[in-house]
Amino acid sequence: MTDAAALSLLALAAAQAAAGARALRRLLPGRRRVPPPHPLVDPADPRRALVGRARVSVVVAALNEARRIGPCLAGLMAQGPEVAEILVVDSRSTDGTRALVEDAARRDPRVRLLTDPPLPAGWVGKVWALEHGRAHATGDWVLGVDADTAPAPGLAAAVVAAAEAHGLDVVSFAPRFDGQTAGERWIQPAMLATLVYRLGAPTARPRTPGDVLANGQCFLVRRALLEAHGGYAPARASWADDVALARHLMRRGARVGFLDGARLFTVRAYASAGEAWREWGRSFDLADASAPARQALDLATVTLAQGAPVPVLLALGGTALGGTALGGVGLTGVGPAVLLGVNLALLGVRVGVLVATRRSYVRRGAPYWLSWTADPAAAARLWVSTLRRPKGWRGRSFALGTETG
């Protein structure tokens, strides 16, 4: 091996080690993360005192959600008296969604079907629907819930109790994924891991706005605070509206948190691995909510610490078998040995992430445990998402807030 080749391998190992150290700083606090709260259904539960007389307005944005919204409505109607109203904002669905909501409204007077006005310039459709729902909300808290979630009875009381227990004004919850195909259980955990590498585990009190992660599938905010800071308008043009809004509010002094909601609701967001790749993949970069310098550093971290180990180890293995990988250099010498050690360590960290996140999946199996092999693809998808601003979502396309399709 030439000196230049050895130095190149050492430089790559050093860059990967630095990226791995940065990821570890975000991962290690996860060992002390707050346990996921249980649903609050028992009137004698001590957490009930934290809820008190709080009233919650649930807002669900919907467009052609007939095949998904049934479990969501059933779960919301099973909530206790703290839920004062369930506002379903439908953007002129054509698939029977409205009929399902109207039927639910006949069975539970808390359910109200709203139709948002025509989409104004500069708004993404879902955010405009949430803003319309917010304008009609009357509760102390606004709880945004996505139509693809299945809330457990007692969710609403539990999230308010958690917010009060941790002194939070804004809190969202990570879900438990259910109903995934084998392909989804292979690619989606790898894509989720890119978020964990960038932002760490759910935490009640992130250090800075740039560390905030949020999940719009279950997003609770004090209504007075939301209205005082412009409602959903600050996130109107964002494809990561949940993160953009949470970071905006934290910059203005709000106490923001992100907790594990695995016991509170499940989600079936996509119908296939291909849909997850297209739909979630177009926005999970968080570009609309991140400073360019932070985003570049996060890209480097994911690429070197998560995306690179599999191809590097394959290349080293090919070299060991007499191939031409790594430019034909052999495995003797310090450079290859250091590179091998760094990448085995990074792979070990990745397996540790799988162990830590396993309870976020109802079904796992071999696809889940082998999802680390999808890391190069997940890192590549992050690059594509970062460099190509999305123009549509679930059959709708938007250009500067003007909806088509």
Side-chain angles (χ1 to χ4, degrees):
M1 179 186 301
T2 65
D3 290 342
L7 287 174
S8 296
L9 297 188
L10 286 172
L12 175 59
Q16 286 188 272
R22 182 173 184 265
L24 272 176
R25 284 198 298 272
R26 282 154 176 74
L27 296 171
L28 289 177
R31 296 175 301 168
R32 301 184 300 275
R33 67 178 179 176
V34 177
H38 290 274
L40 206 171
V41 293
D42 184 355
D45 191 313
R47 292 177 296 164
R48 178 63 61 182
L50 294 169
V51 181
R53 297 181 178 273
R55 298 171 69 256
V56 178
S57 296
V58 180
V59 178
V60 182
L63 172 65
N64 293 334
E65 298 284 2
R67 69 183 177 89
R68 278 186 282 243
I69 202 170
C72 178
L73 291 172
L76 292 175
M77 290 189 293
Q79 302 302 310
E82 60 279 345
V83 170
E85 54 195 355
I86 302 166
L87 308 174
V88 182
V89 185
D90 180 73
S91 300
R92 300 168 186 82
S93 294
T94 59
D95 68 342
T97 297
R98 297 180 69 87
L100 290 172
V101 179
E102 288 167 348
D103 178 66
R106 286 190 288 269
R107 291 181 284 124
D108 189 330
R110 297 177 297 177
V111 179
R112 293 169 54 196
L113 176 62
L114 305 176
T115 302
D116 50 341
L119 187 70
W123 287 76
V124 170
K126 178 188 174 183
V127 192
W128 175 240
L130 290 171
E131 173 64 9
H132 186 65
R134 192 274 314 161
H136 286 78
T138 61
D140 307 296
W141 296 87
V142 175
L143 174 61
V145 173
D146 277 6
D148 53 23
T149 64
L155 173 145
V159 297
V160 171
E164 296 289 5
H166 295 287
L168 299 174
D169 304 306
V170 184
V171 59
S172 60
F173 295 80
R176 194 172 189 214
F177 300 98
D178 194 10
Q180 293 180 315
T181 64
E184 287 177 275
R185 284 179 280 131
W186 178 69
I187 189 63
Q188 191 268 350
M191 296 170 73
L192 179 66
T194 70
L195 288 172
V196 179
Y197 272 61
R198 286 177 277 165
L199 297 164
T203 177
R205 299 301 288 265
R207 295 173 300 171
T208 69
D211 296 316
V212 168
L213 186 58
N215 179 27
Q217 292 165 329
C218 184
F219 189 106
L220 182 73
V221 55
R222 296 184 192 272
R223 182 169 66 91
L225 174 79
L226 184 62
E227 293 178 349
H229 293 286
Y232 290 90
R236 60 186 174 273
S238 176
W239 296 96
D241 56 280
D242 43 12
V243 178
L245 181 62
R247 292 180 177 181
H248 170 82
L249 292 174
M250 185 174 177
R251 290 188 188 98
R252 281 148 186 81
R255 298 163 297 178
V256 177
F258 181 51
L259 300 174
D260 189 344
R263 295 184 177 127
L264 299 177
F265 67 106
T266 59
V267 62
R268 178 72 175 100
Y270 305 109
S272 66
E275 188 178 16
W277 178 265
R278 292 188 303 274
E279 300 293 352
W280 189 33
R282 71 183 65 194
S283 63
F284 81 138
D285 57 88
L286 309 183
D288 296 328
S290 304
R294 171 67 184 264
Q295 194 172 10
L297 192 56
D298 285 347
L299 270 175
T301 298
V302 169
T303 301
L304 292 167
Q306 183 187 348
V310 169
V312 169
L313 289 171
L314 287 174
L316 289 169
T319 300
L321 292 174
T324 58
L326 294 179
V329 295
L331 283 177
T332 59
V334 174
V338 171
L339 188 63
L340 177 64
V342 166
N343 281 276
L344 287 175
L346 290 173
L347 186 58
V349 170
R350 179 68 177 89
V351 172
V353 170
L354 278 175
V355 172
T357 58
R358 69 191 184 281
R359 292 189 178 88
S360 295
Y361 294 84
V362 174
R363 296 180 60 198
R364 295 180 292 271
Y368 174 80
W369 293 110
L370 292 175
S371 61
W372 55 269
T373 62
D375 284 353
R381 188 66 182 92
L382 182 61
W383 274 92
V384 172
S385 180
T386 302
L387 297 175
R388 183 184 301 165
R389 178 173 170 79
K391 297 180 180 179
W393 187 264
R394 285 187 175 169
R396 291 190 294 177
S397 59
F398 303 91
L400 298 177
T402 301
E403 181 180 352
T404 62

